[in-house]
Amino acid sequence: MITQAEWTIMATGWLGLIVAALSPGPNMFAVVAASLGGGLKNGLQVNLGVALGALMWATLANLGLAALFHSLPGAVMVLSALGAAYLWYLAFKGLRSVFGSAGAPMIDPKGEQSLVRNVFHGLAVTFSNPKVALFWASISTVIASVTTKYLSLLVFAVGASCAVFVVYGGFAVAFSIPRFRQFYARFRPVIDGVFGAVFVGLGLLVLSNIRSV
């Protein structure tokens, strides 16, 4: 049976995951781009791939990803540097959209694709995101400090996957609504500029944390 303490720590982990998923990032952009270009069905299919990726990350973390990073701190430094570089790339796209009339949007709409291609795209985005790897490595240490029971770890992994699907599913629904898409198109330079500024700060924060690794 799962104890009250285990439920509490799992709920804390799920809450942290939801907050992280609500922040702008590659996973969100992938789902939104699919919804903008191919409608709700494509957005949900990409979202399915992201959710499956979350299930896999949770499983890998439970199997000792945090221990691996602890024994190889250099891997964390490399991932942090790559993560900062990617965040600044996104910031460049957003700020270019503001200051250049020909600038490409931060979120590029993707046309309709097959189910397999969309799901694979969601998986690829999740597994190529250094921020995701660092997040799961950190959260796994918290879960492992309370329980190592397979049942509890399985419940946490499935719950994490469902939480991700619900959060990004909300983005898919929103950006598949014509009126919402019109609003985004009208204010895209402003939205991209805000995202760009946020990503500049996040990149600096990631680099500043390397010293503490």
Side-chain angles (χ1 to χ4, degrees):
M1 296 292 293
I2 300 178
T3 66
Q4 182 63 42
E6 290 171 342
W7 279 118
T8 300
I9 199 65
M10 286 193 293
T12 302
W14 290 331
L15 179 61
L17 176 61
I18 290 172
V19 172
L22 287 172
S23 64
N27 291 343
M28 187 196 79
F29 288 163
V31 173
V32 169
S35 300
L36 284 173
L40 178 60
K41 182 182 72 174
N42 278 257
L44 290 178
Q45 288 173 354
V46 173
N47 183 30
L48 177 60
V50 173
L52 290 175
L55 178 62
M56 294 178 183
W57 270 121
T59 302
L60 288 173
N62 292 337
L63 292 176
L65 183 62
L68 174 63
F69 283 170
H70 180 73
S71 61
L72 296 175
V76 180
M77 297 178 64
V78 171
L79 283 172
S80 297
L82 290 175
Y86 186 78
L87 289 169
W88 285 338
Y89 166 73
L90 293 176
F92 170 75
K93 291 189 66 176
L95 296 176
R96 185 179 62 175
S97 176
V98 175
F99 297 109
S101 58
M106 180 176 286
I107 303 177
D108 301 314
K110 304 296 183 184
E112 186 171 355
Q113 303 288 340
S114 67
L115 171 63
V116 173
R117 186 181 293 270
N118 280 329
V119 172
F120 181 79
H121 177 61
L123 279 170
V125 169
T126 300
F127 274 93
S128 63
N129 186 352
K131 184 181 74 171
V132 174
L134 292 172
F135 173 81
W136 283 113
S138 61
I139 201 172
S140 67
T141 60
V142 178
I143 303 299
S145 67
V146 175
T147 181
T148 56
K149 293 190 302 188
Y150 287 119
L151 175 60
S152 299
L153 297 179
L154 176 62
V155 169
F156 175 75
V158 173
S161 180
C162 292
V164 166
F165 188 83
V166 170
V167 172
Y168 291 125
F171 286 114
V173 171
F175 279 89
S176 64
I177 298 174
R179 185 169 297 181
F180 195 94
R181 294 164 69 173
Q182 293 171 2
F183 173 84
Y184 171 76
R186 181 177 180 182
F187 294 99
R188 178 180 62 80
V190 176
I191 296 172
D192 284 356
V194 171
F195 281 173
V198 169
F199 282 130
V200 168
L202 288 176
L204 291 173
L205 180 61
V206 169
L207 287 182
S208 67
N209 287 336
I210 291 181
R211 296 182 179 180
S212 61
V213 174

